[in-house]
Amino acid sequence: MKIPYTKNTTFTSFDKTVSITTLHQKPDRTRMLEESITTFQIPRGSGLSYVPASFGQDTLVRELSPFNRILEFDVKQKTVVVESGITLKKLLEWSFTEKLYLPVQPGYPDITIGGCVAANVHGKNPHKYGSFKEHVIWIELFHPKNGSRILESKSELFEATFGGLGLTGIITKVKIQLRDLPSDRITVEPRKVDSMIESAEIFERNPNSEILYAWHNGSILKNFEKGVVQIGSFSEGFLGNNLIVPKKTTIKKIQIPISFWGKFTIPLFNSINRNIETSQNKIEKDIFNNFFPFTFSTQWYFVLYGKKGFRECQILVSKNNIRDFIHDLTSLIRKEKPDLHLMGLKPFRGEQKFLQYCRDGLSITLNFKNSPSTSHFLSKIDELVMSYKALPYIIKDSRLPKNIVEKCYPQYEEFKNLLKKIDPDRIFKSYLSEQLNL
Amino acid sequence: MTFIIVGASAGLGRSLAEKFASEKNDLILISSDMRDLIPLKSDLEIRFKVKVIPIELSLKKISVDFTKIIQSLNHISPLEGILFPVGYSDINDVPGLDDTTAIEIFNTNLICVCLIINHFLNSLKERKSVIIGFGSVAAIRGRSRNVTYAASKRGLESFFESLRHHMQNSNVIIQFYVLGYLDTNLSFGGQDQVFFRRIDVKKLSDVVYSNRFRDFGTMAYPKKWKLVKLLLPFIPWKIFKKINF
Ligand SMILES: Cc1cc2nc3c(=O)[nH]c(=O)nc-3n(C[C@H](O)[C@H](O)[C@H](O)COP(=O)(O)OP(=O)(O)OC[C@H]3O[C@@H](n4cnc5c(N)ncnc54)[C@H](O)[C@@H]3O)c2cc1C
């Protein structure tokens, strides 16, 4: 079957570890989107996932960026219906003018709402606001074989589509609950901490902060575990009428041949950064800067990993295992001495279903240089994750083995069965879904 | 003020609609599929607080039914201009094309545009206004591809030249852009070469908006196509017949 208006495009995962050339379509008319294309396909938002979730071998990539319009706005209910290709940036630019905002904002402004649903993303304080699904009233899902249908919150297919990695069909519309935006600025109080346990304790004492996360140095050479907790809350009132948005938000495409991050640069950079970040007791920044830190100079962080890219794994540990897990994790790091750069912490809350990354507990992110020793270390982490029945975040770790996901996600099989039920031919697939045997 | 945009649902038309709405203009949007116009109307009204009236109208067939447009003009701010970012091409458009497709290409790209202009010309004369047409570099010199399309666009350019001549002492400004290759879905599968780098429709929309009351007549966009427009007709046939573009 010849599909019109397609071309071959090389897609690369954000962590730069997987590249594939495959057929690419960017429908910009409803009739193109709803054409009954029944070849293997996968929807794509902005392609900002660390993992190869929105492309795959011999799979038609259907990019939804032209479907990025705001369809309905209910001032009283503070709800908005949008097309799934709308970016967080476009939504915030508009919602700012209505003094409303979406409290769950993953770290990059070009991420689409479709991508937020399909990964069930989280923001800067997942304990306070939960994950993305808690802010969605319904979604419209299109499947070339089954047509369009509206899925209300809590229905089975709704839950499976959140964190469903685009495998249940194409999300076309999303009805979102917004909240009042109290200010155009957020005041952050950075606090120096010496260990991850200390951060976890601070989280417990400040559960309702607008922003609540921490980063820790991952290098065991010097200052291991030392870090900064960011506690932020809205300032008072509005200083301006316009949202301050940088002209260009696209991620830098520059490639450096080798990684700048090494044994000496990591602890040095982290300790300088720690001192800079904590040089003031309070820092007031505009909301764009706070919601999307990676838009600015921080994006160099990724560039400096070089052309081999990086690895990230994010693990959600249940509330009652936090201390033991951190103890075992730090012991493992000390023993194995991996190319670990950063460790990020966020408190979490939520009812976990299907492949969703949420539950009550603590999320720990580990960032590494991509190297053979990292792969070796990550296999040890896999064992640790399994022994604690923790959740690995699928959208962040492109080497995650199938058996880990199968063991850690209690509804892995149910998810697969549901996919078979809605489409026995399983036309939606990606590199990631094949890797995880989904 | 209101602008009518014919061919507004995608590509350049949609981008122009977004630009003109962002500058607080009301719009009448015309396209063949209401399913694309309604979301665009909602988006523009919600974001820019302007009035947008969508009208489903296929230009493939004549005659054009003007009733909906006329009725809409009674419910919106005064008309200040009409833009025609409309285009229809077919991959089978070579000599020998079937009648239906050939007529549809002529109607969409040329005949209906002329009919709409003729119809609204008098009401546009009442105040300072603009009519903006869009041609194509494909029409500079006929090749064996896009045959009917190029012929229609060449005809359209001639129509706009005459129009400008005729309207020289009126309030109405006539503009015609001869466009290089646009970065839209129609060109999605095409090769991108340095000289033929595709035009970002958003940038083009900004240019069209800021130029909207300049009386420049015909303009090649991007400017480098002006040179091609000048030179291509003089390339000897022996060479021209071998060029594949
Ligand atoms: C700098 C940076 C910071 C980040 N910070 C966070 C963070 O703080 N919290 C967090 O949770 N995540 C974070 N992420 C990860 C990111 O939120 C997710 O990977 C998100 O899914 C990316 O969205 P996208 O629009 O780029 O989608 P893509 O990467 O294109 O696709 C992601 C998945 O969504 C599916 N999909 C996309 N659109 C649709 C659709 N319309 N219908 C059906 N399926 C669809 C795809 O098939 C794919 O499986 C971050 C990523 C980056 C690059």
Side-chain angles (χ1 to χ4, degrees), chain B residues 2-22:
Chain B
T2 294
F3 287 84
I4 298 176
I5 300 181
V6 182
S9 58
L12 176 60
R14 176 174 160 186
S15 177
L16 285 165
E18 288 180 6
K19 177 65 191 171
F20 277 70
S22 73

Side-chain angles (χ1 to χ4, degrees), chain B residues 37-56:
Chain B
L37 286 180
I38 289 176
L40 186 57
K41 165 195 155 70
S42 314
D43 184 58
L44 300 179
E45 287 189 339
I46 293 171
R47 285 196 297 140
F48 304 119
K49 314 228 170 349
V50 294
K51 184 163 185 177
V52 180
I53 302 178
I55 296 176
E56 189 173 74

